[in-house]
Amino acid sequence: MSDPEIPPVVSEAELQPLPARKGRGLQITLALLIVIVCLELGLFLLVFPWTDYWTSNYFATFIPQYFWVWESAYFKGAISGLGVVNLCICFAEIFRLRRFAGHS
């Protein structure tokens, strides 16, 4: 039988916080990019199904037998629901961006 390993003792000096990592600017830039993309996509998916252009695009006439699905208010509502999900992701990312506030 072997003895279980005993964890090493950690001194107070080793518990000091690490300095800020480099690349924080890249993290902020990527978070802002996600916010912008989710905001634009969310607004588009929320509004576009209810416009007149919805039924005059390529995908609406791709399979003519299923055109009734494309015009269905339930289907339009589902697409608008995806837009709401994208907007929620956008606002969650905006809230997460607050973690960078106050840091240099």
Side-chain angles (χ1 to χ4, degrees):
M1 288 191 186
S2 64
D3 293 333
E5 290 187 27
I6 300 172
V9 177
V10 180
S11 67
E12 294 247 352
E14 293 175 344
L15 293 177
Q16 298 298 326
L18 297 174
R21 295 183 306 167
K22 294 182 180 179
R24 186 169 291 263
L26 179 63
Q27 290 177 350
I28 294 172
T29 304
L30 290 176
L32 285 174
L33 181 65
I34 289 172
V35 166
I36 291 169
V37 169
C38 286
L39 180 67
E40 289 181 355
L41 183 62
L43 289 175
F44 177 77
L45 290 175
L46 185 65
V47 174
F48 187 69
W50 306 103
T51 64
D52 293 334
Y53 298 111
W54 177 253
T55 57
S56 63
N57 65 42
Y58 171 75
F59 297 106
T61 58
F62 185 65
I63 302 175
Q65 295 87 350
Y66 293 115
F67 187 74
W68 63 273
V69 173
W70 201 262
E71 283 189 325
S72 168
Y74 295 110
F75 184 70
K76 291 179 182 182
I79 300 298
S80 292
L82 291 175
V84 171
V85 169
N86 274 288
L87 290 174
C88 290
I89 292 170
C90 169
F91 293 128
E93 282 297 317
I94 289 172
F95 183 72
R96 282 176 23 126
L97 274 175
R98 293 182 58 215
R99 70 177 181 252
F100 296 112
H103 294 102
S104 56

